[in-house]
Amino acid sequence: MTVHFTWFHERFRVLPTDATEDIVRIDACVYILILISTQLFRDKSANRGHIRWLPFVANLDDMGSYSWGSAALAWLYRCMCRVMNKNVTNLASPLHLGARN
């Protein structure tokens, strides 16, 4: 199941000036979900995000305890395995893996 990013952009485009802490946290979760879906774990659907990432952004306090580098590497291997299928013509997308200073 996926969600169109246009829905996210329409719903969460501007943070209200009178936003409560809960609203700010929800908007932060949505923003991080979009980043995860479009940058870290990208697939061929450029305008949709899979809901599989929702449990990982549900609690902002727990996000630092996940091994995001290992997960990104596993995702890369998964994409590479799918490319090995003779019917697949390209990798899911460019993968943005940068070196840390």
Side-chain angles (χ1 to χ4, degrees), residues 45 57 84 91:
S45 64
V57 299
M84 294 303 294
L91 188 63

Side-chain angles (χ1 to χ4, degrees), residues 17-50:
T17 56
D18 60 342
T20 64
E21 184 177 335
D22 290 336
I23 298 297
V24 172
R25 290 180 73 82
I26 290 169
D27 279 26
C29 288
V30 168
Y31 180 72
I32 292 169
L33 177 66
I34 291 171
L35 286 178
I36 287 172
S37 296
T38 60
Q39 300 298 316
L40 198 55
F41 304 112
R42 187 181 291 188
D43 61 12
K44 288 192 263 185
S45 64
N47 63 347
R48 293 177 300 189
H50 202 282

Side-chain angles (χ1 to χ4, degrees), residues 75-90:
W75 185 261
L76 171 64
Y77 287 153
R78 180 177 183 257
C79 291
M80 290 172 64
C81 287
R82 286 187 168 186
V83 171
M84 294 303 294
N85 182 342
K86 67 179 181 178
N87 297 326
V88 175
T89 58
N90 59 4

